Amino acid sequence: IGRVDLSGADYHCPAYERDGKNSSGNADRTDKKGRERKNQKDFRRRDNRPADYAADWQERKNVMKYYTMKQIVQSQENMQKRGQRKLRGEVRAFPGECGFEALYYDKKSTRRDYVIVEVHGGGFMYNTARDDDDLCAYIHERLKIPVVACDYRRSPQYKYPTGVKDVFACVKHVYKEYGLKQGHVLIWGHSAGANLAAGAAFMDKQSGVHAIGSQILDYPYMDVYRKSKERQRIRLSVKGKLMDTFAYYYTEEQNLKN
């Protein structure tokens, strides 16, 4: 099979000419005008969009990246129902405007010179102190010292820094209530609760209270500023979309890296 030179001006393709396209370039000019008309229609269509179109589109994109408020609230309600059972700890409301509770485990204490403040996990938005009821009761019975489970306020209803402030308020209240020495509060947090525990310890040091003497941080969720795609996947951990949802609703999107 020989080579055919298609670069010459005398070459014509019957099928090409039948469709109205030839080497003269008339069809190209027609197509260009058609594209211009289409672009003008697109611009007119954009101009006629409602003022809240950008906000609606951003919300639709967020739905694809994160779980919706409806899904979150439904899950929170289910967890609240799960927590409505007979508790081994004593529920006490914190005084003032904090608006949160704590579970006290103090019936079998043989010494009260140290107190454990326990902070539950749940991505800053799920679970309650009631979910750790059996764990806290077990620790209290083994160590014979008081355990206080902080039921801090959660996102998305209460964003950062409400949660960490609640935990620190719990630490200060327990510190004064039991008349403890400096460094005699042991704070213990799990996952997102470990993040709040570390934050409360930092606030304790910065404020000069020095109530906290040690931290126990179980699998702490500390890197909320990183997307799930930027982190190495942890086997048997929660899905990336859920992790991103935790961070998104805990703090504002534009402040994740601040």
Side-chain angles (χ1 to χ4, degrees):
I1 301 176
R3 294 183 179 180
V4 179
D5 185 7
L6 302 182
S7 61
D10 295 334
Y11 175 78
H12 298 281
C13 176
Y16 202 70
E17 292 176 350
R18 187 170 60 248
D19 295 336
K21 302 175 182 179
N22 52 44
S23 59
S24 62
N26 294 331
D28 292 340
R29 288 193 293 271
T30 303
D31 291 346
K32 184 176 181 181
K33 291 180 180 179
R35 287 194 299 272
E36 291 176 352
R37 286 194 296 270
K38 183 178 182 301
N39 291 337
Q40 291 175 358
K41 291 180 180 179
D42 290 342
F43 282 122
R44 286 196 296 270
R45 194 177 298 117
R46 294 191 190 99
D47 294 339
N48 293 331
R49 289 170 179 168
D52 58 348
Y53 176 83
D56 292 342
W57 171 240
Q58 183 62 39
E59 182 177 354
R60 287 196 295 271
K61 288 199 300 183
N62 290 342
V63 167
M64 293 184 287
K65 293 190 297 182
Y66 314 113
Y67 289 103
T68 63
M69 281 288 295
K70 182 178 180 180
Q71 292 172 311
I72 294 170
V73 172
Q74 182 63 47
S75 297
Q76 288 178 333
E77 292 176 352
N78 293 337
M79 292 178 183
Q80 291 286 350
K81 293 178 182 178
R82 183 182 64 192
Q84 300 303 319
R85 58 186 178 87
K86 186 176 180 180
L87 299 173
R88 302 169 69 179
E90 178 188 354
V91 180
R92 297 185 189 178
F94 270 67
E97 301 178 357
C98 295
F100 68 96
E101 300 175 336
L103 294 180
Y104 277 70
Y105 305 82
D106 195 13
K107 294 181 179 179
K108 298 183 179 180
S109 298
T110 58
R111 52 185 297 182
R112 292 179 174 85
D113 54 341
Y114 284 89
V115 176
I116 295 176
V117 173
E118 193 265 354
V119 190
H120 70 83
F124 309 105
M125 67 172 58
Y126 291 144
N127 300 338
T128 68
R130 298 167 182 262
D131 291 282
D132 293 346
D133 182 58
D134 292 333
L135 172 64
C136 292
Y138 174 78
I139 296 299
H140 165 61
E141 293 171 1
R142 289 296 301 270
L143 299 181
K144 305 298 182 183
I145 63 174
V147 177
V148 179
C150 179
D151 199 8
Y152 57 88
R153 290 172 289 180
R154 295 170 295 281
S155 65
Q157 293 85 351
Y158 300 97
K159 291 182 176 290
Y160 171 86
T162 302
V164 67
K165 285 185 175 181
D166 286 352
V167 175
F168 183 46
C170 181
V171 169
K172 291 190 296 182
H173 181 78
V174 168
Y175 177 64
K176 294 179 180 179
E177 181 182 13
Y178 283 90
L180 301 175
K181 298 180 181 179
Q182 288 186 340
H184 280 216
V185 173
L186 290 72
I187 193 164
W188 181 15
H190 322 280
S191 189
N195 179 301
L196 300 178
F202 178 78
M203 296 174 67
D204 176 63
K205 180 180 178 180
Q206 293 294 103
S207 63
V209 177
H210 300 295
I212 298 175
S214 61
Q215 306 176 59
I216 304 174
L217 308 180
D218 291 344
Y219 46 95
Y221 176 31
M222 308 299 286
D223 55 346
V224 297
Y225 60 90
R226 297 174 64 188
K227 299 292 185 181
S228 59
K229 294 181 179 179
E230 300 173 352
R231 292 194 297 265
Q232 183 177 357
R233 180 75 169 86
I234 301 176
R235 186 171 177 268
L236 302 180
S237 180
V238 298
K239 295 182 179 179
K241 183 177 180 179
L242 184 56
M243 294 291 288
D244 292 340
T245 300
F246 291 158
Y248 176 75
Y249 285 106
Y250 178 58
T251 185
E252 300 295 339
E253 175 81 4
Q254 61 270 22
N255 294 331
L256 285 179
K257 292 190 176 182
N258 295 332

